[in-house]
Amino acid sequence: MGASVVAALLDVLQFQNILASFIGVLFGLFIGSTPGLTISLGMVLLLPITFKLEAVTSICLLLGLYASGMTGGSLSAILLNIPGTPSASATAIDGHAMAQKGRAGEALGVAVSSSFFGGIFGLTCLVLASPVIARVALRFGAPELFSIVLLGLTLICSFGQQSVIKGLISGVIGLIIMTVGLDPMMGSPRFTFGQVELQAGISFLPAMIGLFAVPQILLGIAGKTKVFPEYKEKVSGVLPKIGNLFKMLKTMLLGSLIGTGVGAIPGAGGPIAVFLSYDYARRISKKSGNYGQGEPEGIAAPESANNAVAGGALIPMLTLGIPGDPITAILLGALMIHGLIPGPLLFQQSQQFVYSVFWAYLIANLMNLIVTFSTIKLWVRVLKVPQRVLLPIIVILCIVGTYALRNTFFDTGVMFCFGLLGYFMMKFGFPVIPLLLAIILGPNLEEHLRMSLIISQGDYLIFFTHPIALTFIIISVFSFFGPLVVPLWKNRKGAARSEN
Amino acid sequence: MKRANIIASIVIVLFTVFYGYLTSQLPSRNLPNTLGSAFMPWLLATLLFGLSVCLLITNAFRGTRENSNANISLKEGFSVVFLTVFVYFYVKAIQLFGFIAITPFFLAALMWISGARKWKEIVILSIASTLGIYLFFQKVFKVILPHGTLF
């Protein structure tokens, strides 16, 4: 085993593999930070190149893209409040708030450091505990997936800070929007008004770009408001102090744990992980009041989760040959092109290659850290572009980005409709994060609920007889009622104290 | 915010009624032992109705603790409508004339609306940005941008 580990390391450290990792990281940063371009698209574009490369070089290239694509999504989220990937939407909350206070460099520094931490944590779990995690993750059937989606949805309450009712309304509207399209069980159209494009449902990428970018464009161009912070002075504080990072260790650990766990569950998805980690980090933090107003911990939690998801998602792919999301499905395909079939046999027949994957992922994370840190000042320069130039370019990028998703302007229309909805929601004080959460999680909720009932022949007890599902349902109940009950309890306690 | 909340809740109630009507038109055929197509929409319509009525009642009788104001000036409202229509025509124009031909004009117009007044800056940046985006998407990422009748 020791010889295989060393041989795999030496293999990965060859010049062409390091170069492949570097190219993958650069490509991923661009893909991730451009609204509308997805990591899966980047992988698909690189896939034909890998036909001619060796298996280890291919995996270095693709893992480089995977690791940095996640970080790239956060760059645009922090600087422009336009998340490049759905998983970066939680980072935008505190990241952009910090950028608006002139702390963009520091926000990016925290994002990159915690991404690295999450990536390494995910890798450690992949190396040390993959068989155990994979076994637990495989026990997730429809009832368990329903309960974890339900848990994700209970976070809606936490994001309705000014008014819980408005947060809930926003979430329910999001769920209603996701009922548009074909019925997941029967395949009959619902609320499609005869439009073929609506039969596939509302894609969440145009919705996300619309909700985040268009209100800013409208405020900036139509309302003549300053929507981007001006960056005239030198960018400083990019490299976070060790002491500050140490203070965020608990937050990063929590985010990484949630990220790896959720990532390992096939079909659960990164957005659940980032919102769960953001919410739980806020709940355990002493600075919970600062969340949403530019708190570095609010970046560290979702960012560490975001990159830990990648490590987590590799666990079922490598150990069982089950891809949890489109990205790992493409990775699986890339391995199969080279005659490597992921699954239990891969660990026996191609042990050295498995170690090469581990090393390649470590190199990808290190490369991501180095490349992103050394280019942060370049990224922040985006904010030096005057708003009168930047906003029109963002308009074009959003239009082309949404068009690129399915080569149709229908998605561009969807983006603009969501943009107008987001604009009016912002003006009327409705939070958009619950809407986004519901859009991301909504389709899975209904599908897993109905699938579970088919399995149980209509018996609702299925959710209470499966221990994992029951655990998540109990946590969901606490998670939902917590934000409603705790303030009332604190008020009562405060009143009792003042009476005494 | 109190008035804005009352208006918003009335709009949402009206939307819920419309959504409920559409839900009632859904087909009733279903697989055995599971919920029908209309179950989730009915559940959501009921929830939304209840929540919007709650918002209406609390604001009408108790007021709100929210400290922000929902102010959209007439000028801003007009600008939002104008910008939406402008983008709509741009998207239609792309399909007619192609991305390369129409985007520099659209960008230049948007820059002017956004406050840019130096014509050299407007011309150079609008052409350079169009070419940059075209090369980035079409050549690097192989996204086929729409070709019109001219290009």
Side-chain angles (χ1 to χ4, degrees):
Chain A
M1 181 185 158
S4 299
V5 174
V6 176
L9 174 65
L10 292 175
D11 200 5
V12 169
L13 287 178
Q14 284 187 26
F15 175 72
Q16 72 270 21
N17 297 336
I18 299 281
L19 182 69
S21 186
F22 176 71
I23 293 169
V25 165
L26 269 186
F27 201 65
L29 280 176
F30 276 107
I31 284 267
S33 58
T34 311
L37 294 182
T38 57
I39 300 174
S40 330
L41 173 75
M43 291 240 179
V44 169
L45 289 173
L46 288 184
L47 210 53
I49 302 168
T50 64
F51 294 168
K52 291 174 187 170
L53 299 175
E54 280 183 28
V56 177
T57 315
S58 308
I59 210 75
C60 284
L61 183 74
L62 296 175
L63 286 178
L65 189 150
Y66 193 9
S68 67
M70 296 286 199
T71 313
S74 311
L75 297 178
S76 52
I78 291 170
L79 296 173
L80 306 172
N81 199 22
I82 304 170
T85 57
S87 300
S89 19
T91 308
I93 304 170
D94 278 279
H96 191 63
M98 275 181 81
Q100 281 186 317
K101 289 177 181 170
R103 294 163 65 197
E106 189 189 337
L108 289 173
V110 172
V112 178
S113 318
S114 34
S115 290
F116 178 72
F117 184 90
I120 297 300
F121 187 92
L123 173 70
T124 313
C125 292
L126 176 68
V127 174
L128 299 178
S130 47
V132 182
I133 296 174
R135 223 176 297 138
V136 176
L138 255 198
R139 292 176 66 187
F140 274 72
E144 287 80 9
L145 283 170
F146 166 76
S147 60
I148 197 166
V149 171
L150 189 72
L151 175 62
L153 278 172
T154 56
L155 304 182
I156 283 172
C157 257
S158 309
F159 289 100
Q161 279 162 334
Q162 282 214 334
S163 160
V164 175
I165 294 181
K166 282 185 170 179
L168 288 171
I169 287 178
S170 174
V172 175
I173 290 175
L175 288 173
I176 283 179
I177 289 166
M178 291 327 278
T179 57
V180 174
L182 292 180
D183 171 9
M185 290 290 130
M186 298 300 296
S188 52
R190 288 190 306 196
F191 316 113
T192 56
F193 305 100
Q195 294 275 327
V196 181
E197 289 95 340
L198 278 178
Q199 288 194 354
I202 306 276
S203 173
F204 63 77
L205 269 165
M208 186 186 76
I209 297 171
L211 285 172
F212 280 92
V214 177
Q216 295 218 100
I217 292 164
L218 293 176
L219 276 179
I221 298 179
K224 304 281 181 207
T225 315
K226 210 150 200 55
V227 286
F228 299 126
E230 260 187 65
Y231 238 83
K232 284 179 179 158
E233 66 272 25
K234 266 192 161 182
V235 180
S236 57
V238 170
L239 273 175
K241 287 176 187 155
I242 300 290
N244 288 348
L245 279 181
F246 197 73
K247 278 180 198 163
M248 286 189 281
L249 190 66
K250 190 171 70 174
T251 313
M252 290 195 286
L253 262 175
L254 177 79
S256 305
L257 261 175
I258 293 175
T260 311
V262 174
I265 302 165
I272 300 184
V274 295
F275 281 107
L276 275 177
S277 58
Y278 181 86
D279 190 56
Y280 287 124
R282 178 169 57 184
R283 288 180 195 205
I284 62 162
S285 173
K286 286 174 189 165
K287 302 174 196 165
S288 55
N290 297 346
Y291 274 63
Q293 289 154 20
E295 170 56 46
E297 280 183 11
I299 301 172
E303 273 309 298
S304 49
N306 193 4
N307 279 51
V309 162
L314 288 174
I315 294 172
M317 190 208 87
L318 278 177
T319 54
L320 306 161
I322 298 170
D325 54 23
I327 303 168
T328 41
I330 299 165
L331 270 175
L332 188 85
L335 293 182
M336 287 167 88
I337 288 166
H338 292 279
L340 298 155
I341 314 291
L345 282 178
L346 185 74
F347 283 76
Q348 289 170 13
Q349 292 169 349
S350 314
Q351 203 180 37
Q352 190 182 319
F353 178 77
V354 174
Y355 293 127
S356 298
V357 174
F358 296 161
W359 286 120
Y361 191 57
L362 176 70
I363 299 288
N365 275 292
L366 277 169
M367 194 67 83
N368 183 26
L369 183 79
I370 296 164
V371 172
T372 320
F373 261 129
S374 49
T375 53
I376 278 183
K377 290 187 181 178
L378 280 176
W379 291 104
V380 179
R381 269 172 190 262
V382 170
L383 296 179
K384 292 192 175 175
V385 179
Q387 188 169 298
R388 61 178 185 273
V389 175
L390 192 57
L391 274 177
I393 293 173
I394 289 175
V395 176
I396 302 289
L397 276 176
C398 291
I399 292 173
V400 176
T402 44
Y403 171 83
L405 288 172
R406 290 192 295 185
N407 277 10
T408 162
F409 279 113
F410 181 79
D411 286 331
T412 311
V414 170
M415 173 198 72
F416 232 82
C417 290
F418 271 94
L420 287 173
L421 178 68
Y423 174 77
F424 284 108
M425 282 177 73
M426 190 182 64
K427 286 285 178 184
F428 281 80
F430 286 84
V432 292
I433 297 289
L435 183 92
L436 188 70
L437 253 175
I439 286 173
I440 293 170
L441 304 177
N444 290 338
L445 182 84
E446 186 181 4
E447 191 182 336
H448 296 315
L449 170 68
R450 290 169 73 182
M451 188 70 84
S452 307
L453 289 174
I454 288 178
I455 295 167
S456 68
Q457 298 187 324
D459 187 0
Y460 283 90
L461 281 176
I462 189 169
F463 300 109
F464 303 100
T465 50
H466 286 226
I468 299 174
L470 180 64
T471 311
F472 280 119
I473 286 173
I474 292 169
I475 300 172
S476 304
V477 172
F478 282 108
S479 183
F480 185 80
F481 289 105
L484 301 172
V485 175
V486 170
L488 288 175
W489 181 70
K490 276 185 181 169
N491 283 348
R492 238 179 159 179
K493 213 174 158 187
R497 250 187 222 158
S498 58
E499 268 176 30
N500 288 339
Chain B
M1 192 52 106
K2 183 180 166 180
R3 197 164 146 248
N5 282 348
I6 292 173
I7 295 170
S9 46
I10 291 169
V11 170
I12 297 167
V13 167
L14 291 175
F15 168 75
T16 314
V17 172
F18 175 63
Y19 183 69
Y21 167 75
L22 291 177
T23 305
S24 68
Q25 306 294 310
L26 289 174
S28 55
R29 69 194 171 91
N30 193 23
L31 291 170
N33 297 324
T34 192
L35 304 162
S37 294
F39 172 78
M40 194 57 93
W42 274 129
L43 178 74
L44 295 172
T46 314
L47 274 172
L48 191 61
F49 186 79
L51 287 167
S52 46
V53 169
C54 264
L55 186 68
L56 182 68
I57 291 171
T58 47
N59 277 278
F61 296 106
R62 272 178 45 195
T64 176
R65 280 181 296 171
E66 291 169 78
N67 43 24
S68 52
N69 281 319
N71 54 340
I72 306 174
S73 65
L74 198 65
K75 196 181 163 195
E76 190 181 331
F78 175 76
S79 303
V80 167
V81 174
F82 171 76
L83 206 62
T84 310
V85 174
F86 192 48
V87 170
Y88 174 79
F89 279 113
Y90 165 64
V91 169
K92 286 284 164 201
I94 291 184
Q95 293 165 54
L96 258 177
F97 300 105
F99 177 81
I100 287 270
I102 208 73
T103 304
F105 296 104
F106 176 72
L107 260 176
L110 268 187
M111 282 181 197
W112 192 81
I113 295 168
S114 305
R117 289 293 178 267
K118 294 175 190 164
W119 67 269
K120 264 188 188 172
E121 181 189 81
I122 293 176
V123 170
I124 293 170
L125 285 174
S126 54
I127 294 174
S129 309
T130 306
L131 283 176
I133 292 170
Y134 176 78
L135 291 174
F136 189 65
F137 277 86
Q138 181 110 14
K139 299 295 172 193
V140 182
F141 295 112
K142 310 288 176 203
V143 173
I144 300 163
L145 294 172
H147 290 238
T149 46
L150 287 177
F151 288 90

